[in-house]
Amino acid sequence: MLSLRIERHGAQFTEDVLDDCQHADFFFSNGYLATCYHNEEHMITEYYQKPMDVQLFGPDKETELWELAETNKIAYNEWPDKQKIDEEMITDVLDYYAHGELVTVEENFYE
């Protein structure tokens, strides 16, 4: 079974990934990575082509992970009608990397 860790970034009192969250990173247990963020106009989702070393998803590896990820982008999706992450965007990430698979989800929050 595939697992997914969602790290939300935003306001301290955000209770759920759908509560006005404008930045979240999606770390799949098979090494795939996606990120959703607001670009000052609307939401963007970036998808990464090759699986990353899952050891880079651990603590104190953030700088190394994102430096490597910058060389690994495959595609992005602009969401011109969206100002926050919603179910459609999350479903899009799940369909991109785990279409038809059962996925367990863990959420973390970072201010």
Side-chain angles (χ1 to χ4, degrees):
M1 179 185 311
L2 192 60
S3 65
L4 166 64
R5 185 176 83 236
I6 302 173
E7 292 186 355
R8 298 177 288 123
H9 307 270
Q12 180 179 3
F13 299 108
T14 299
E15 295 290 327
D16 185 274
V17 74
L18 298 178
D19 289 345
D20 295 326
C21 183
Q22 292 185 327
H23 181 190
D25 301 315
F26 298 78
F27 301 94
F28 288 85
S29 60
N30 61 1
Y32 283 103
L33 169 66
T35 187
C36 296
Y37 62 91
H38 198 276
N39 73 352
E40 305 294 326
E41 294 177 19
H42 55 266
M43 296 302 297
I44 301 282
T45 303
E46 293 181 345
Y47 309 91
Y48 295 85
Q49 178 176 5
K50 299 175 191 161
M52 309 288 280
D53 178 353
V54 293
Q55 298 299 318
L56 293 175
F57 293 172
D60 303 320
K61 299 286 187 173
E62 187 171 304
T63 301
E64 186 179 352
L65 169 66
W66 291 110
E67 285 175 0
L68 184 58
E70 281 300 313
T71 67
N72 189 19
K73 288 182 190 172
I74 185 173
Y76 71 95
N77 191 4
E78 293 194 34
W79 303 90
D81 60 334
K82 298 189 185 299
Q83 295 299 313
K84 65 178 186 170
I85 296 171
D86 65 10
E87 284 185 57
E88 181 182 16
M89 293 176 68
I90 294 169
T91 300
D92 189 64
V93 169
L94 290 170
D95 285 346
Y96 195 88
Y97 291 119
H99 187 73
E101 291 192 45
L102 186 58
V103 178
T104 60
V105 178
E106 168 192 339
E107 268 189 90
N108 292 326
F109 170 74
Y110 296 93
E111 193 172 342

